[in-house]
Amino acid sequence: MDQLTGMRVFVRVAELNSFSRAAEDLEIAQSTVTKTVAWLENRLGTRLINRNTRGLTLNEAGKLYYETCRAILRQIEEAEGLVRRHDAELDGTLRISTSVAFGEAVLGPMLLPFIAANPRLKVDLTCEDSYVDLIARGIDVALRMGRLTDSSLGGRYLGANPWVMVAAPAYLARAKPLTTPDDLGGHDCIVYSSVQGDAVWQMRSTDGRTHAASVRGCLRSNNLPTLLSATRSGLGVAILPRYVAQGALQASELAECLPGYVLPDQELYAVFPSPKLVPRKVTALIRHLAPRLRGAWWQERDGNTQIFSGGINQIELPVFSDQSN
């Protein structure tokens, strides 16, 4: 028997002064009410209700138990009401985690209308370039790229994060021709060190064949802004996320290399601590972000490439090595 259910049944019996009326009010059988009260009395080791031909009355123990039960049930109702109002009004704090570059360039600007639409909700955005334990850090939702590996977490696919091979026009003008992946061996390449197999770039041609190219160069870094700046300055060829390179491409500061070959995309996910009972504030954020991250979302940005100041989360790994599909 559920003790909380027993307390609710006992309180209704005491308030209605009748087993039958309590059963009708609770929409259960009268025999269930009788058995529940008997179970409570047996559990407590004392009688709570005196029964006679004139009806029933609470004895001294019953009166004490009734007052205590009523107070407990009132507190439970208040707690449930607080939770329902909390979810309905989207108040409290929503803790979000993502990488520095994605947070500064994409997520931060996308959050502004969400924050404006939910003035009672406080948003705590953490941007850092290391893996974050959602449960240990109290994170409600994280924006992550790459294949999900922790099956205990909840996740919602939001879109794709494509990558592009780029170089400055000045570099391409003085360097050897770059028409096939095999030509990369004769070029200075700017290597992103957080990518698995970073010195082997893989791509797919229009006929579906996979091409791998071993690359080398004078700069290797895990910091996307550094790679972008070096590429714009003409230091060599780089592979960058579209959202990082898009502004420089639109301004003709960078040119796309090997446009007939496609680099692997990353999957972009919203990840939360559990797939069950997801808080409404998390589902509301996902509904806000999902349409903004569909299609060519990187083209909707304002092209300001100067906002990057951090690195990139090492879990955000496109597969360019010989382990890719």
Side-chain angles (χ1 to χ4, degrees), residues 154-175:
R156 165 75 183 274
Y157 175 78
L158 295 177
N161 178 40
W163 288 62
V164 61
M165 186 184 303
V166 293
Y171 170 83
L172 294 173
R174 71 173 186 270

Side-chain angles (χ1 to χ4, degrees), residues 142-200:
L143 275 291
R144 291 180 174 174
M145 297 181 191
R147 299 180 183 92
L148 297 184
T149 58
D150 189 342
S151 60
S152 67
L153 301 176
R156 165 75 183 274
Y157 175 78
L158 295 177
N161 178 40
W163 288 62
V164 61
M165 186 184 303
V166 293
Y171 170 83
L172 294 173
R174 71 173 186 270
K176 297 177 181 179
L178 179 53
T179 57
T180 73
D182 292 337
D183 296 331
L184 285 167
H187 282 263
D188 294 321
C189 293
I190 300 169
V191 175
Y192 179 38
S193 60
S194 287
V195 177
Q196 182 182 8
D198 51 14
V200 180

Side-chain angles (χ1 to χ4, degrees), residues 98-105 127-131 143-145 161 163 192-195 221-227 239-241 243-244 266 308-318:
T98 194
S99 64
V100 174
F102 188 79
E104 291 182 354
C127 301
E128 55 186 286
D129 294 332
S130 59
Y131 183 85
L143 275 291
R144 291 180 174 174
M145 297 181 191
N161 178 40
W163 288 62
Y192 179 38
S193 60
S194 287
V195 177
S221 175
N222 71 339
N223 184 267
L224 280 175
T226 297
L227 301 183
I239 50 175
L240 299 171
Y243 76 84
V244 173
Q266 288 176 304
F308 296 99
S309 61
I312 187 72
N313 194 323
Q314 293 194 14
I315 66 168
E316 301 184 358
L317 304 179

Side-chain angles (χ1 to χ4, degrees), residues 160-165 181 201-212 239-240 242 256-266 298 318-320 324-325:
N161 178 40
W163 288 62
V164 61
M165 186 184 303
W201 294 355
Q202 284 205 1
M203 60 211 76
R204 190 180 66 255
S205 57
T206 54
D207 60 7
R209 290 186 297 168
T210 298
H211 301 261
I239 50 175
L240 299 171
R242 276 276 183 183
E256 185 172 350
C257 302
L258 301 181
Y261 296 83
V262 180
L263 298 172
D265 289 348
Q266 288 176 304
W298 57 91
V319 184
F320 297 123
S324 67
N325 295 327

Side-chain angles (χ1 to χ4, degrees), residues 13 16-26 28 30 33 56:
V13 170
L16 297 173
N17 199 37
S18 168
F19 284 88
S20 60
R21 286 197 293 270
E24 183 179 353
D25 179 73
L26 295 169
I28 57 178
Q30 182 173 340
V33 173
L56 58 86

